[in-house]
Amino acid sequence: MQWKTGGVLAWLGLAACGGGVPADEAQVPAPEQEQPAADVSAQACSVGVAARVKIVQSAAVQGANLGTFTPLSDMVDVQGTLYFTTQATAGITLWRSNGTDVGTVPVKTFQGLTAAVSGLTAAGSKVFFKAFDVASGLELWVSDGTAAGTKLVKDLTPGLDGSTLLNAAEVNGQLLFYRLTSALKTELWRTDGTGLGTIKLGEFDGLSGLVSSLVMKVNSKLLFVQSLASGTGLWGSDGTPGGTVQLLKLDNSAAHLEQVVQSGSQAVFLLKDGLLHEIWKTDGTPGGTVRLDSLGSAVQLLGIVGSNVHLATLDPLTNQLRVVRMSLVTGARSTIATISNPVGTVAPTIQRTVTVGSQVLFSVAHGGLTPIPEQVALWVTNGTAEGTRQLFQPLLRSDLFTSPLFSTGEGKLLFINGNTLDPWFADLATGAAGRLTSLPASVLPKVGDFVRSGNRVYFSALDETGLHQLWSVAANFSCPAGLQAE
């Protein structure tokens, strides 16, 4: 196990995209092959750099059927206050935390075997979520962090039937969300957390695209794609009925939204149109929505850096990934590196991506004969051949979970070591990498997703209590030099 800082090896004789040989294209070897690299000794953070905030789950209340399988769920930041939920036999509890033991308190428990709380989403100073109670079924709730201020927003489907609510997102301090009707139509709603302030913005035919979990927010607008047999359109909403309009018709037939990456006031999205993969950019205006290219091979977006979007395309003959740089201005593209495939018969996939400054980090999974990947590695690219390299392996290998890749916002990346299942860090400025904290041995995932709230990063950790508890680390943490004892 080592931290790789080395880079480029052999030049390719053929271009992977288009004619000619791009001047900066390189072949990056499979992880098993030798490559010249400067190895930086891994280091471990001192005990206490990452620490438990509070014991929020106990065996006495969890119940025998839950135990270690119940990590903290739906962690979300609401203006510097963390919200999350825990599950026990008695029900599901909504919590809030300011990062201290005494400031981490339960807000409300939804009791009974039918309890359901999910989809925590911040909007303004409130947190919204879906919850079930016997009077209204599954509907939209809101909380201001107090028991009295945790209540049903509006019973959109009167009675026990409840509502099918999807894809909540904050726009201009209010919550926008979709509701599916019994007539298989899709409604877009807006709420400020009150019944009177909950209004329908529009109703749409068809489900495809509208119910996608991919949400774009650009320049104070929610953008979404409606895909029908009669055509595919890009819509935008500023949270008002008059401001909910189709911006542009993208296709004369049904095309499906596959992926979205965003940076500032620009989004790039991927449409699947038959066998073609169309790459579009948008700033939320008709004139700023442009198709950059259309490719016949499979495409996965990696991230936006400056005036370029980085993506990965698959060579169907070799099952190798090509890392490609595409201009957001001209649409011109060039292959900057090809990642060799150690499992040649199975196509690799990109699991997660995160952009940190001028670098895009992404996890590459190489499959095998089972749903569990044979290998998962962390890669980085800055849009050049020498800056495209493998940083670490292995990440978490699982058919149910993927290693989170989380930027602390202070030049550090958090991820999961696939051997020990402990949380690790990478300092992208110094090249240091190592264990953030050591947790007891387990065959189960020890860590949930990370989220930043205020100046700390929170995560769920399976610690010596035998249950997942709330942990945190300062977003700007530093770890003294020292060898990693593994």
Side-chain angles (χ1 to χ4, degrees), residues 35-384:
Q35 57 178 318
D39 293 338
V40 178
S41 296
Q43 65 187 50
C45 292
S46 303
V47 173
V49 171
R52 185 171 63 213
V53 176
K54 187 184 183 75
I55 294 177
V56 295
Q57 302 197 96
S58 67
V61 299
Q62 287 309 111
N65 294 328
L66 296 175
T68 56
F69 293 98
T70 54
L72 312 185
S73 300
D74 280 322
M75 291 196 297
V76 64
D77 168 52
V78 182
Q79 297 184 347
T81 298
L82 180 78
Y83 287 82
F84 62 94
T85 63
T86 59
Q87 183 177 357
T89 53
I92 297 177
T93 299
L94 173 70
W95 295 71
R96 76 168 194 271
S97 175
N98 64 2
T100 67
D101 187 313
V102 296
T104 302
V105 295
V107 176
K108 179 180 176 64
T109 297
F110 293 78
Q111 297 182 338
L113 296 177
T114 58
V117 177
S118 63
L120 271 63
T121 305
S125 61
K126 301 172 183 175
V127 62
F128 293 83
F129 54 93
K130 294 180 289 185
F132 177 90
D133 74 3
V134 295
S136 58
L138 187 66
E139 292 288 357
L140 183 67
W141 284 62
V142 66
S143 178
D144 61 2
T146 68
T150 302
K151 55 191 176 182
L152 176 71
V153 174
K154 188 172 185 175
D155 194 355
L156 298 177
T157 306
L160 284 176
D161 288 344
S163 297
T164 302
L165 308 176
L166 299 166
N167 301 343
E170 183 274 334
V171 175
N172 299 323
Q174 300 191 83
L175 190 80
L176 272 63
F177 62 95
Y178 298 98
R179 173 179 178 263
L180 303 188
T181 71
S182 58
L184 295 182
K185 291 183 179 293
T186 306
E187 298 172 343
L188 179 65
W189 287 73
R190 181 205 74 200
T191 183
D192 61 1
T194 68
L196 291 177
T198 302
I199 63 171
K200 185 169 69 173
L201 301 177
E203 182 176 280
F204 309 89
D205 290 325
L207 306 178
S208 181
L210 293 170
V211 297
S212 167
S213 61
L214 304 172
V215 174
M216 291 181 277
K217 286 200 307 176
V218 176
N219 291 328
S220 300
K221 288 182 182 178
L222 176 72
L223 305 182
F224 52 96
V225 172
Q226 182 184 31
S227 178
L228 299 171
S230 58
T232 301
L234 178 67
W235 286 69
S237 178
D238 61 2
T240 66
T244 301
V245 296
Q246 179 170 298
L247 301 175
L248 190 70
K249 189 169 186 178
L250 303 175
D251 200 283
N252 289 323
S253 59
H256 303 284
L257 185 63
E258 297 274 304
Q259 194 181 355
V260 173
V261 293
Q262 293 186 232
S263 178
S265 61
Q266 186 145 248
V268 175
F269 60 97
L270 185 65
L271 281 185
K272 180 75 178 298
D273 183 12
L275 298 177
L276 296 177
H277 296 79
E278 300 179 357
I279 302 167
W280 291 75
K281 70 173 183 179
T282 183
D283 62 2
T285 67
T289 302
V290 179
R291 187 175 69 176
L292 295 171
D293 209 340
S294 182
L295 304 178
S297 57
V299 178
Q300 290 179 280
L301 303 177
L302 300 180
I304 299 172
V305 175
S307 60
N308 296 296
V309 59
H310 301 325
L311 49 101
T313 63
L314 181 68
D315 185 331
L317 298 178
T318 64
N319 278 332
Q320 293 180 331
L321 286 177
R322 300 161 174 161
V323 181
V324 176
R325 182 184 63 238
M326 175 180 288
S327 170
L328 293 174
V329 179
T330 65
R333 55 187 165 88
S334 60
T335 300
I336 55 178
T338 300
I339 300 175
S340 294
N341 186 4
V343 187
T345 58
V346 180
T349 60
I350 307 296
Q351 288 188 331
R352 294 200 185 190
T353 70
V354 63
T355 300
V356 183
S358 62
Q359 301 182 89
V360 178
L361 297 107
F362 54 100
S363 52
V364 180
H366 297 280
L369 299 178
T370 71
I372 299 176
E374 290 191 5
Q375 180 186 103
V376 183
L378 176 62
W379 286 78
V380 64
T381 184
N382 64 359
T384 68

